[in-house]
Amino acid sequence: MKKIIVANWKMNPQSLEEAKKLFRKINFSFKKLEVVLCPPFPFLLAFKKAKIKLGAQNCFFEEKGAFTGEVSPLMLKNLGTNYVILGHSERREMGESDELINRKIKTVLKNKLKVILCIGEKEIERKEKKTFFVLKKQLEKDLKNIPFSQLPSILIAYEPVWAIGTKNPCPPEMAKEVLLFLKKIFPKNKILYGGSVNLENAKEYIKVGFDGLLVGSFSLKKEFSLLLKSIENLN
Ligand code: PGA
């Protein structure tokens, strides 16, 4: 089974030229990996013809209509996008509720795109030993009324909020506890880890059993291909 490595470029880079430059630095030709490139919306088209998997970082919950500034799943699909990241903590922080995420998931699945659903607890919740409670609540609400048959199209990314963009990754053994918890509920779903993944720790998460990684800032570094290689070379 191929490991999924999601490169979340967030709101980077600032020009199409730079995006193409970054793209050229990535080696996508790995046998045991599926690399999903998630650039900002304006750059998706530039990579439409590249033989890689593309992901969007968000989308709207309606299929069409008068919604100024929004992007529909079908637009993304027509750009060659295969995946959509939903529920990222940076969007939850901006006010996206589980109810909204649930609507988005439904529309994305209806348009036959895969979902990378991010869930994770905040630092205070971890300290108060509420991690599993928080994750369960997020999943219950985010996946409400999603037919069982559609669940395999959802990848779940465990992203502890305190580990994202902090250079404070979740220790792999601690992340493994969450992985086992999630696998018990969703044995058939791919479970990824995200949060300060770098060249040193990437393979450790795969070794404890994660099906892939969601890599943020490190996916913008020139060493990103070395990270990919380190996973490809695992037995
Ligand atoms: P990070 O971001 O790797 O920079 O912590 C993770 C993410 O994009 O969620």
Short mmCIF file of all heavy atoms in Angstrom, two decimals, residues 4 24 38 45 63 68 71 82-83 94 103 134 139 152 177:
data_model
loop_
_atom_site.label_atom_id
_atom_site.label_comp_id
_atom_site.label_asym_id
_atom_site.label_seq_id
_atom_site.Cartn_x
_atom_site.Cartn_y
_atom_site.Cartn_z
N ILE A 4 0.79 7.98 1.71
CA ILE A 4 0.33 9.26 1.15
C ILE A 4 1.08 10.40 1.83
O ILE A 4 1.05 10.53 3.06
CB ILE A 4 -1.17 9.47 1.46
CG1 ILE A 4 -1.97 8.22 1.18
CG2 ILE A 4 -1.71 10.71 0.75
CD1 ILE A 4 -2.60 8.11 -0.13
N ARG A 24 9.46 22.35 -9.36
CA ARG A 24 10.56 21.68 -10.08
C ARG A 24 11.58 21.04 -9.14
O ARG A 24 12.29 20.13 -9.52
CB ARG A 24 11.26 22.68 -11.01
CG ARG A 24 10.47 22.93 -12.30
CD ARG A 24 11.33 23.60 -13.35
NE ARG A 24 11.72 24.94 -12.97
CZ ARG A 24 11.03 26.06 -13.27
NH1 ARG A 24 9.91 25.97 -13.97
NH2 ARG A 24 11.45 27.24 -12.89
N CYS A 38 -0.60 20.30 -2.58
CA CYS A 38 -1.73 21.22 -2.28
C CYS A 38 -1.24 22.67 -2.29
O CYS A 38 -0.97 23.26 -1.24
CB CYS A 38 -2.33 20.89 -0.91
SG CYS A 38 -2.92 19.20 -0.76
N LEU A 45 -3.95 25.40 -11.51
CA LEU A 45 -4.00 25.21 -12.97
C LEU A 45 -2.61 24.94 -13.56
O LEU A 45 -2.47 24.14 -14.48
CB LEU A 45 -4.62 26.46 -13.62
CG LEU A 45 -4.72 26.42 -15.15
CD1 LEU A 45 -5.62 25.28 -15.61
CD2 LEU A 45 -5.26 27.75 -15.69
N GLU A 63 -22.67 23.83 -4.52
CA GLU A 63 -22.12 23.42 -5.81
C GLU A 63 -22.05 24.55 -6.82
O GLU A 63 -21.14 24.62 -7.63
CB GLU A 63 -22.94 22.27 -6.38
CG GLU A 63 -22.79 21.02 -5.54
CD GLU A 63 -23.31 19.81 -6.26
OE1 GLU A 63 -24.52 19.58 -6.16
OE2 GLU A 63 -22.50 19.12 -6.90
N THR A 68 -19.94 35.08 -3.98
CA THR A 68 -18.73 35.83 -4.32
C THR A 68 -17.52 35.36 -3.54
O THR A 68 -17.57 35.22 -2.31
CB THR A 68 -18.99 37.33 -4.02
OG1 THR A 68 -20.13 37.73 -4.77
CG2 THR A 68 -17.78 38.18 -4.42
N VAL A 71 -15.04 28.98 -4.10
CA VAL A 71 -14.59 28.03 -5.12
C VAL A 71 -15.33 26.71 -4.90
O VAL A 71 -15.36 26.18 -3.79
CB VAL A 71 -13.06 27.80 -5.00
CG1 VAL A 71 -12.58 26.73 -5.95
CG2 VAL A 71 -12.31 29.11 -5.25
N ASN A 82 -7.63 16.13 -7.10
CA ASN A 82 -8.12 14.83 -6.64
C ASN A 82 -8.58 14.86 -5.18
O ASN A 82 -9.37 14.05 -4.75
CB ASN A 82 -7.02 13.77 -6.74
CG ASN A 82 -6.27 13.83 -8.04
OD1 ASN A 82 -5.29 14.55 -8.18
ND2 ASN A 82 -6.76 13.09 -9.03
N TYR A 83 -7.99 15.76 -4.41
CA TYR A 83 -8.24 15.80 -2.96
C TYR A 83 -8.59 17.22 -2.53
O TYR A 83 -8.18 18.19 -3.16
CB TYR A 83 -6.97 15.42 -2.18
CG TYR A 83 -6.52 14.00 -2.32
CD1 TYR A 83 -5.72 13.59 -3.39
CD2 TYR A 83 -6.84 13.06 -1.34
CE1 TYR A 83 -5.28 12.27 -3.49
CE2 TYR A 83 -6.40 11.74 -1.43
CZ TYR A 83 -5.62 11.36 -2.51
OH TYR A 83 -5.18 10.07 -2.60
N MET A 94 -10.24 30.26 12.19
CA MET A 94 -10.88 31.43 11.57
C MET A 94 -12.40 31.37 11.66
O MET A 94 -13.10 32.17 11.06
CB MET A 94 -10.48 31.53 10.09
CG MET A 94 -9.07 32.05 9.88
SD MET A 94 -8.73 32.27 8.13
CE MET A 94 -8.08 30.68 7.69
N ARG A 103 -20.84 20.04 5.98
CA ARG A 103 -21.49 20.41 4.70
C ARG A 103 -20.47 20.36 3.57
O ARG A 103 -20.77 19.90 2.46
CB ARG A 103 -22.09 21.82 4.79
CG ARG A 103 -23.32 21.89 5.66
CD ARG A 103 -23.90 23.29 5.71
NE ARG A 103 -24.60 23.64 4.48
CZ ARG A 103 -25.16 24.82 4.26
NH1 ARG A 103 -25.12 25.74 5.20
NH2 ARG A 103 -25.78 25.08 3.13
N VAL A 134 -12.23 15.03 22.47
CA VAL A 134 -12.29 16.10 21.46
C VAL A 134 -12.30 15.50 20.04
O VAL A 134 -13.11 15.89 19.19
CB VAL A 134 -11.08 17.06 21.63
CG1 VAL A 134 -10.94 18.00 20.44
CG2 VAL A 134 -11.20 17.85 22.92
N LEU A 139 -15.13 14.14 15.00
CA LEU A 139 -15.48 13.14 14.00
C LEU A 139 -16.99 12.93 13.91
O LEU A 139 -17.54 12.81 12.81
CB LEU A 139 -14.77 11.81 14.31
CG LEU A 139 -13.26 11.83 14.04
CD1 LEU A 139 -12.57 10.64 14.69
CD2 LEU A 139 -13.00 11.84 12.54
N PRO A 152 -14.61 5.41 2.84
CA PRO A 152 -13.25 5.15 2.34
C PRO A 152 -12.65 6.32 1.55
O PRO A 152 -11.44 6.38 1.36
CB PRO A 152 -13.42 3.92 1.45
CG PRO A 152 -14.66 3.25 1.95
CD PRO A 152 -15.55 4.35 2.43
N GLU A 177 -0.80 6.37 19.90
CA GLU A 177 -1.99 6.11 20.73
C GLU A 177 -3.26 6.60 20.01
O GLU A 177 -4.30 5.95 20.03
CB GLU A 177 -1.87 6.83 22.08
CG GLU A 177 -0.81 6.24 22.98
CD GLU A 177 -0.54 7.14 24.19
OE1 GLU A 177 -1.32 8.07 24.45
OE2 GLU A 177 0.49 6.89 24.86
#
